[in-house]
Amino acid sequence: MNTTSAEYWTCAGQRSDAGTAESSSTAQDSTSIGTTVPYAAAGPGYAGEWALFCDYTTATSQPTLPTTVAALTGFLTTLPARPATVARRVRAIAAAHRRAGHLLQRPDIGPAAPPIPPQQLPLLAGPGPMIAACPTRGWPHGLHGRRDAFLTVLTTSLALPYPVARTLTPTAIVTGIADDQLTDCDVDDDTDCLVAIAGQTVAQDVDPRECPACAVVRWLDILGTLDGLGRGSARMDLVTAHAPTADTPHTHRPKSPHRWRDAATLLPAIDQHGWLDDYRPITTRTMRTRMARTSDRAAQPVSEGEPPPGTAGVPFTAPAARQSFGPTAPALDEVLTVLDGVADDVDALNARIQALLNADH
């Protein structure tokens, strides 16, 4: 090659951006060891990116397929681009190696480094305070809160990975068993009943607000109502429900009939208005977000003698909201109670309007 390096890179960049058919249909001598690598080795979708890499290795007398860490790092350093473009070039080089039966060697750091697998973030609080921080009544925050508490049990108390937790079905749950797990528990005493999920026994706590077994049963009950009877029935149950207190009896056995057994998944996707997507489970991204919010909510400082935020009588108020509205900011429970009343008034007004319309006909 007789052109200067500056002239060469200008031409190479123009040819790559143009994506000409000639670069994807011809074979060029692109390595310093005399091997011939076609520009289409990475596939038709990466022809331009792979051709640019071949031209670089040819000009610098470095191996192309398989390449080296030095060649890959030098290529990305010599030809800087936007992060999205750099990522696409790395994918093109990796695709060519994969199609040829090679494993692309990557540096430990830099844009060509292998992606870090997603991990569950460390939580700021234990499972008990996190469960207690989840609302159990009201619409639709009570619905989301019960699902968050159930998610906390799965991922924190039972230590199930997110991909495993989101695919659980009702067949993974066993309820109403005694300590020996061979006989049914006492029908008059729920404290002797055990709940097992995916072969693991769910722990119990003295405080019903922080009890993992109670959290599981609360979610199963409302899931059965939502999936079996519909959104209106679930809303009515949550609006009339009472938040658990330290003196509330434990509930370790779901109510009959067990409609939740007919649900397609234990962690369905639910939008902000409470609409259920029967067959689509919650995504792992949403699971991480919900767990982070629950952990942050449970980690808020609480005065001595007060129950955790979000429990009966002491709902959680975001710090930003407290700073914005000052010390007289209304509690979240008060706001939700007002909204529930407004929703009931709207329903009554709609019913009255419908009755008047029917009378006119």
Side-chain angles (χ1 to χ4, degrees):
M1 181 172 295
N2 298 324
T3 58
T4 63
S5 59
E7 294 173 345
Y8 168 75
W9 294 125
T10 301
C11 295
Q14 291 176 351
R15 180 175 59 177
S16 173
D17 295 337
T20 58
E22 178 183 356
S23 63
S24 60
S25 60
T26 61
Q28 301 292 337
D29 183 7
S30 55
T31 68
S32 60
I33 55 178
T35 59
T36 300
V37 179
Y39 280 153
Y46 294 120
E49 290 78 7
W50 178 245
L52 186 61
F53 180 70
C54 291
D55 291 344
Y56 168 80
T57 54
T58 301
T60 57
S61 300
Q62 298 189 69
T64 302
L65 191 63
T67 190
T68 61
V69 174
L72 181 60
T73 304
F75 169 68
L76 299 178
T77 304
T78 307
L79 294 175
R82 295 178 300 176
T85 303
V86 171
R88 180 173 176 81
R89 290 174 179 175
V90 173
R91 290 198 301 269
I93 299 171
H97 282 67
R98 186 170 58 252
R99 289 161 66 98
H102 300 293
L103 180 63
L104 176 63
Q105 301 181 20
R106 300 193 180 196
D108 296 332
I109 58 175
I116 301 177
Q119 300 178 353
Q120 298 180 195
L121 299 177
L123 302 176
L124 302 177
M130 290 178 63
I131 293 173
C134 297
T136 59
R137 63 170 301 274
W139 180 265
H141 44 277
L143 178 64
H144 290 281
R146 293 193 182 193
R147 188 186 63 176
D148 291 344
F150 180 68
L151 177 60
T152 300
V153 174
L154 294 180
T155 59
T156 305
S157 298
L158 302 181
L160 295 178
Y162 288 153
V164 175
R166 68 181 296 267
T167 57
L168 288 178
T169 60
T171 57
I173 295 186
V174 179
T175 61
I177 53 178
D179 292 340
D180 56 11
Q181 298 193 16
L182 297 176
T183 59
D184 294 339
C185 59
D186 187 358
V187 295
D188 297 326
D189 189 4
D190 269 7
T191 57
D192 293 334
C193 292
L194 299 178
V195 179
I197 302 179
Q200 300 186 56
T201 302
V202 179
Q204 300 180 6
D205 195 280
V206 176
D207 192 340
R209 298 169 296 183
E210 299 185 359
C211 181
C214 293
V216 171
V217 172
R218 281 194 293 264
W219 168 244
L220 293 180
D221 285 342
I222 196 61
L223 174 62
T225 303
L226 181 64
D227 185 78
L229 300 180
R231 182 170 172 268
S233 298
R235 175 184 173 183
M236 181 167 42
D237 286 354
L238 289 173
V239 169
T240 58
H242 297 282
T245 65
D247 300 326
T248 302
H250 285 266
T251 53
H252 297 169
R253 182 168 37 205
K255 299 176 182 177
S256 297
H258 296 170
R259 296 187 179 91
W260 54 272
R261 289 287 185 188
D262 297 327
T265 179
L266 289 175
L267 284 173
I270 303 174
D271 68 6
Q272 59 181 341
H273 304 293
W275 290 104
L276 170 71
D277 194 336
D278 303 64
Y279 297 96
R280 184 169 65 90
I282 188 175
T283 64
T284 54
R285 179 177 181 180
T286 303
M287 294 171 69
R288 295 189 185 94
T289 302
R290 303 297 301 188
M291 288 295 294
R293 291 179 179 176
T294 303
S295 176
D296 181 69
R297 188 165 53 231
Q300 297 302 318
V302 181
S303 301
E304 186 175 355
E306 293 183 2
T311 57
V314 186
F316 168 74
T317 304
R322 289 196 292 266
Q323 295 174 2
S324 301
F325 295 100
T328 60
L332 179 60
D333 192 49
E334 298 175 0
V335 175
L336 296 177
T337 301
V338 172
L339 292 177
D340 289 340
V342 172
D344 293 338
D345 293 341
V346 171
D347 291 341
L349 180 59
N350 289 334
R352 178 58 178 167
I353 292 175
Q354 187 62 42
L356 293 174
L357 293 175
N358 294 337
D360 291 341
H361 292 80

